């Protein structure tokens, strides 16, 4: 099964994509994670992307399409993928369609996670994760059970994304509205759009998503 999770930053795409890896064996393809890794490693792409990401703008289509093409090439034979954060505009969606056609692959669904934009700033500005195992937390909604200690691995170091501050979050949300939201229509026209309510609690969203996927 090949899926796209569509929704603004903070909608819960990453959380649900990770759960789909576990429950359905899908491979999560998150361009944001790939770009952050490229920045951390100081690769050519990473150097080009760093300042753009810090501003909350979109990295050039050439770079993200090249990164995704490489990852799709490596996937052959696996059980499907879930795209998280890609495509981010119509040009990327068209490039994806062309890539999939050339590999005789197709998308089963683009799932729009509907959220209230006003709530997203608080959701995103409070999030952080364990530096050792990557488990995600939130200052208010989902803090570790014991303050300062990771529930999963016991790690005591935590990290926050450089672009999860309020000013950058607001520009990321604007970029979403302008460039990414039109993809809802793009996939509706292809007949593969499905919509779920993303404001519910995480487990409830997971259940809703499962229902949608079971009906495909
Ligand atoms: P994310 O982790 O999906 O919120 O992405 C973090 C940042 O990485 C975004 O604000 C963009 O700067 C960049 N980025 C991630 N995916 C893409 C994409 N498909 N196209 C362009 N830029 C992207």
């Amino acid at each position: 099964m090949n899926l796209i999770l569509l929704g603004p930053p903070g909608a819960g795409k990453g959380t649900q994509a990770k759960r789909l890896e576990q429950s359905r064996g899908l491979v999560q393809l998150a361009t944001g994670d790939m770009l952050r890794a490229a920045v951390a490693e100081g690769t050519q792409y990473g150097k080009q992307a760093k300042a753009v990401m810090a501003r909350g703008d979109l990295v050039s289509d050439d770079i993200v399409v090249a990164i995704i093409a490489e990852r799709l090439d490596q996937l052959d034979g696996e059980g499907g993928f879930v795209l998280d954060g890609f495509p981010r505009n119509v040009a990327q969606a068209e490039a994806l369609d062309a890539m999939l056609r050339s590999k005789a692959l197709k998308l089963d669904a683009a799932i729009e996670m509907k959220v209230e934009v006003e709530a997203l700033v608080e959701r995103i500005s409070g999030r952080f994760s364990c530096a050792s195992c990557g488990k995600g937390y939130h200052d208010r909604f989902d803090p570790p059970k014991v303050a300062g200690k990771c529930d999963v691995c016991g790690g005591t170091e935590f990290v926050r994304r450089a672009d999860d501050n309020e000013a950058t979050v607001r520009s990321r949300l604007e970029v979403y509205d302008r460039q990414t939201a039109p993809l809802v229509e793009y996939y509706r026209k292809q007949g593969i759009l499905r919509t779920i309510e993303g404001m519910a609690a995480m487990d409830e969203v997971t259940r809703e998503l499962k229902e949608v996927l079971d009906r495909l």
Side-chain angles (χ1 to χ4, degrees):
M1 182 181 280
N2 300 324
L3 305 173
I4 296 177
L5 292 183
L6 260 183
K13 303 185 297 296
T15 301
Q16 298 301 331
K18 285 198 177 66
R19 291 184 172 189
L20 288 174
E21 280 200 316
Q22 310 245 303
S23 62
R24 299 196 180 234
L26 303 184
V27 176
Q28 177 192 16
L29 298 176
T31 39
D33 289 348
M34 295 171 200
L35 288 166
R36 278 184 289 281
V39 169
E41 284 163 27
T43 68
Q44 197 54 41
Y45 287 155
K47 285 185 187 138
Q48 288 172 256
K50 188 173 179 180
V52 180
M53 291 172 75
R55 281 200 305 274
D57 283 339
L58 292 189
V59 173
S60 83
D61 294 343
D62 290 351
I63 293 181
V64 286
V65 168
I67 290 179
I68 281 288
E70 199 184 312
R71 295 297 285 264
L72 284 175
D73 280 344
Q74 294 164 357
L75 278 187
D76 284 349
E78 292 185 53
F81 57 80
V82 50
L83 286 164
D84 157 11
F86 180 92
R88 277 295 224 274
N89 58 29
V90 171
Q92 292 181 14
E94 288 171 351
L96 174 65
D97 282 346
M99 274 187 270
L100 295 178
R101 256 196 314 276
S102 75
K103 294 175 175 302
L105 292 174
K106 70 173 187 52
L107 291 168
D108 296 282
I111 295 159
E112 177 197 12
M113 301 179 68
K114 262 203 176 311
V115 283
E116 289 156 22
V117 171
E118 309 80 67
L120 295 180
V121 176
E122 191 185 14
R123 258 201 195 185
I124 302 177
S125 323
R127 65 187 184 182
F128 63 98
S129 57
C130 171
S132 314
C133 74
K135 164 84 176 78
Y137 294 99
H138 191 281
D139 291 321
R140 220 179 113 204
F141 307 129
D142 186 21
K145 291 193 182 71
V146 177
K149 191 167 163 213
C150 176
D151 300 349
V152 174
C153 75
T156 52
E157 272 191 50
F158 297 89
V159 286
R160 284 176 198 264
R161 280 171 48 171
D163 60 350
D164 275 353
N165 61 81
E166 184 168 342
T168 311
V169 170
R170 292 200 186 275
S171 30
R172 287 160 64 201
L173 292 171
E174 267 172 42
V175 167
Y176 180 83
D177 263 354
R178 240 186 3 258
Q179 306 208 41
T180 313
L183 294 182
V184 169
E185 273 317 303
Y186 183 93
Y187 290 113
R188 198 192 311 277
K189 281 192 188 128
Q190 289 194 1
I192 59 168
L193 184 76
R194 300 289 184 277
T195 301
I196 61 174
E197 188 46 65
M199 287 314 290
M202 267 186 279
D203 291 348
E204 171 60 21
V205 177
T206 303
R207 202 190 51 71
E208 235 189 305
L209 185 54
K210 179 179 184 308
E211 264 179 34
V212 166
L213 298 183
D214 286 348
R215 281 200 300 269
L216 286 179

